[in-house]
Amino acid sequence: MAKKGKLIGIGVGPGDTELLTLKAAKVLETVPVVFSPKSSKEKESIALSIVRPVLEKRKDYKRLMLVEPIFPMIEDKKELEKVWTSASEMIAQYLDSGRDVAFITLGDSSIFSTYSYVQKKLIGRYEIETIPGITSFTACAAARNEALVEQNDILTIVPKIDDRLEEVLDYSDSIVLMKASRNTSKLENTIEEKNRPKEIYSVENCTRENEKIIEGFSNEKPYLTTTIIKFGDD
């Protein structure tokens, strides 16, 4: 029986190609198949734009199999399940042919990553390796030249605020709003009115050429916006 390929999930970091890990770059220089999900046919994957300079240096670049499945930005769980199943089956076909597949994903491969859904569907059937990447929020703290947490601080990472907001505000020392483009004025007012000393800043397009650090919440809210709230001592 022919040997099956390996699935390699790669976190490609927040935006700057130079922030790829050495291990990620090494895999991308040789892997025969790269899966690069994107939200629609019209848009290029941001993750792909990050790794493209590495891929284009390959002598066999023209023979590289680049697969770009559509992962729509929807919240319908049944529809998403179909998307994940379809992508997993597509990856399985390449793996069954003996080819390794790299699945690239923004930031870190284990934090709110599309990779995790196909990883769960294929684990146990194939060899899987996961390569971590630099997260958006650690890159934001670095861009600000400021610690994210210190000593016994509690860091809370929030993709979307719900009715747990009050508990998050009461028991966290630092809060990362990962998808700040979803922020509503009501949410922002609730945070600003919280009776605790606080520092709020947002970073748009962190580590990219158009990076911008903003005091408070972002008004423009481009897709790659992260907001960090740091509470001080009461």
Side-chain angles (χ1 to χ4, degrees), residues 85-100:
T85 298
S86 175
S88 300
E89 291 174 351
M90 199 183 306
I91 291 171
Q93 291 178 3
Y94 289 103
L95 298 175
D96 287 339
S97 71
R99 286 174 283 185
D100 292 344

Side-chain angles (χ1 to χ4, degrees), residues 25-202:
K26 184 177 180 180
V27 170
L28 291 168
E29 287 167 357
T30 58
V31 72
V33 184
V34 174
F35 255 67
S36 174
K38 57 183 182 178
S39 58
S40 68
K41 290 183 179 179
E42 297 75 26
K43 294 183 179 179
E44 181 185 37
S45 158
I46 298 173
L48 179 58
S49 72
I50 294 170
V51 304
R52 190 177 289 281
V54 175
L55 299 179
E56 289 181 343
K57 288 181 180 179
R58 291 175 52 161
K59 292 181 179 179
D60 64 344
Y61 176 63
K62 291 184 178 179
R63 295 196 301 274
L64 172 67
M65 181 67 69
L66 180 60
V67 186
E68 299 181 81
I70 306 300
F71 277 51
M73 299 180 71
I74 56 177
E75 296 190 7
D76 185 316
K77 291 186 177 180
K78 287 186 178 180
E79 289 302 313
L80 285 173
E81 189 66 33
K82 292 178 184 177
V83 171
W84 300 331
T85 298
S86 175
S88 300
E89 291 174 351
M90 199 183 306
I91 291 171
Q93 291 178 3
Y94 289 103
L95 298 175
D96 287 339
S97 71
R99 286 174 283 185
D100 292 344
V101 175
F103 189 114
I104 60 173
T105 182
L106 267 177
D108 179 74
S109 43
S110 63
I111 298 179
F112 305 120
S113 168
T114 50
Y115 160 71
S116 65
Y117 302 107
V118 298
Q119 177 191 29
K120 285 188 288 188
K121 289 184 177 295
L122 297 175
I123 199 164
R125 295 168 54 190
Y126 303 94
E127 181 183 358
I128 297 178
E129 179 181 4
T130 302
I131 299 174
I134 293 173
T135 67
S136 61
F137 50 90
T138 54
C140 289
R144 179 128 171 139
N145 283 317
E146 186 175 288
L148 192 57
V149 281
E150 298 175 274
Q151 296 182 340
N152 297 322
D153 287 350
I154 295 174
L155 173 65
T156 303
I157 304 166
V158 182
K160 186 178 179 182
I161 291 290
D162 53 27
D163 55 8
R164 293 170 289 181
L165 176 59
E166 285 299 325
E167 290 186 22
V168 169
L169 295 178
D170 285 338
Y171 295 105
S172 302
D173 298 299
S174 292
I175 298 173
V176 173
L177 297 181
M178 286 285 290
K179 299 179 181 178
S181 56
R182 294 178 174 182
N183 290 356
T184 63
S185 56
K186 181 179 178 181
L187 162 64
E188 293 174 2
N189 290 336
T190 300
I191 292 173
E192 288 180 332
E193 291 169 2
K194 188 65 179 176
N195 190 25
R196 291 180 66 187
K198 69 187 77 64
E199 172 191 14
I200 302 172
Y201 66 92
S202 301

